[in-house]
Every structure is written in C-alpha cells, then in structure tokens.
Amino acid sequence: MALRPIDNALPIPPERPKKQAKVSIPIQKKPSECGVKDENKAPLPPSENRDASVDYISSENLKPFQDPESNIHSLVEGLDSKDWIKVCESLNDARRYSLYHSTLLLPILEKVMLVVVKAMKNPRSALCKTSIMAASDIFNAFGEKLLDSTDSGAFDQLLLQLLLKASQDKKFVCEEADKSLTAMVKSIAPLPLLQKLRGYVNHGNLRVRAKAAVSISDSVSKMGLEEIKEFGLVTLLQMAADLLNDRLPEAREAARSIVFSVHKAFTENEEKNPEEAWQSLCQTNLSPIHAQSMIKVIASH
C-alpha cells in the first residue's frame, strides 16, 4: 500500500556551503627590511647613515689650525652645509677658532651663533650636543664680547636654547647644557647677564625657571652690594621670594642661595644692628608672608 505525502511537512533546508580554509602565504621581505645588504643598491651617503658616529672632542684635545686664514672660508661653507655631519665638523672647527684664532672668528661670530642655535634645535642628539659644546667654547673665548659684538637677538636665542636643552630628559644633552650655562656665568659679568636672565624666572616651563634661577644665583654670588643695588636690591629680594615657593626643589634651593648672597652683601655694609636692618628691609619691601620667609631662610642658615 503506497503512503500518501504529508502536505504540512516542513521543507528540508539546503545544505550550508563549507567554509574555505584560510591559507597563509609567507611574504618575503625585501633585503633592506630584514637587515641584508642589497649589493645592487648604492650605499647611503654619510648624511643619511643613521649609524654614522660623531666624535665628541673635549676642548683640551682641540688643536689650532696651521693655516687659519685660508681655512676660515671653508668654515663658513661647512656651517651652511645640508650634511649634518659636515655641520658637526664645522662646529668643531669653530671651536678651534674660538680657542686659538678668536680674532679671525670675531667678524663672523654672529653667523656662527645663529648656526649654533639652529643646530641645538635639530632632533639629532649628536648635532645638538656638538653645538652646545661649541657654545661653551665661544663663551670661554669671547665672554662679554658676545653682548657687544653681536646682535642681542642672537645671544637671546642662544640663551633660551641652552635653558631648554638643560631642561630636557636626554641626560647627556642636559648635562652638557648645564656645563655651558656654567661657562656662560663664569665668562660674562653678572650685571648684563642678570638683565638677560631675569625674564626667565617667570617662564611657563618650570624646569626653565629652575635653570634660570641657578644661573641667577651663581651670578649674584659674584656681586658686591654696589652691583646688587645697581641691578636692584629689592628686585632681587622679590625674585627670590617668588622662587622660594616654586614647585621644583632646584629653583627653591637657588632662591635660598640668592637670599644668602644678598643678606651677606647687605649686612657686611651695616655697622649697627645689621640683622635688624635686614629684617626691616624685608618687612618694608615684601609682603608679610614673603618677609617672614626671608627671615626664616637666614635663621636656618
């Protein structure tokens, strides 16, 4: 007996197609990507070779030129080079001129300073450090002539870059910039230098403030009362009072040093009751809180 089809039976769904298995195809790297030298490719020029090394020559190991007059022209060309290694070599030559042939470098000193500033801004650490070393030798060789024989803008740019480099995280660059700032303080008279530094104690970068405060402190320690008065005794007190509340310990310690230097110069010239005269000076020219801070600093010394 034949069975009758059931009209209400559910339709059988179609069979799902099977997924195709993924096949991983290895990608062959180019020789340059896997560290293998391509013999058919021309080698990179020195300016593009990241592994090119730069020697950091100490000032003591720099030698004078045998014929400095003829080399001065190639120095200018080298400083203008687009090859960063060539610029490093030329900066070292500029250091040699600073140390041994400064009279020949003096006519182009401003140009050299601008190249030094530009090199400090370069992201290559080797070029940056070499330029900072050049700045140190220029400070030691020319001192206050930098302020007299060059445009003030060139010196201002150099000072700002040194403060910024001394404030960054790369230790070997930071340490070199600190050395250069020290050379600057030693070679330039306090009064004109303080005029350049005073604006940076209000800089938005707290590290720059601290580095400027240290340089100010080192300069003030070299000053007598007459020089302090010429700059502004009250100005220095107010500057130190603000820095005593700075966020960085380096700035606060520099402020304490400024207070000690001003206090010493002031009291040594007071024959009667020098400490009372000091307290009166602070209370007259500072807010009560700041005056009390000054008195506490001296009391803790």
Side-chain angles (χ1 to χ4, degrees), residues 6-35:
I6 301 174
D7 296 337
N8 295 328
L10 295 175
I12 299 174
E15 185 179 357
R16 293 182 180 180
K18 295 182 179 180
K19 292 184 178 180
Q20 294 182 353
K22 292 183 179 180
V23 179
S24 59
I25 301 175
I27 299 175
Q28 185 176 3
K29 292 184 178 181
K30 296 180 181 179
S32 60
E33 294 175 342
C34 55

Side-chain angles (χ1 to χ4, degrees), residues 64-73 97 101 104:
F65 288 102
Q66 292 183 351
D67 187 8
E69 288 82 2
S70 61
N71 286 326
I72 196 72
H73 301 292
Y97 272 103
H101 320 285
L104 292 174

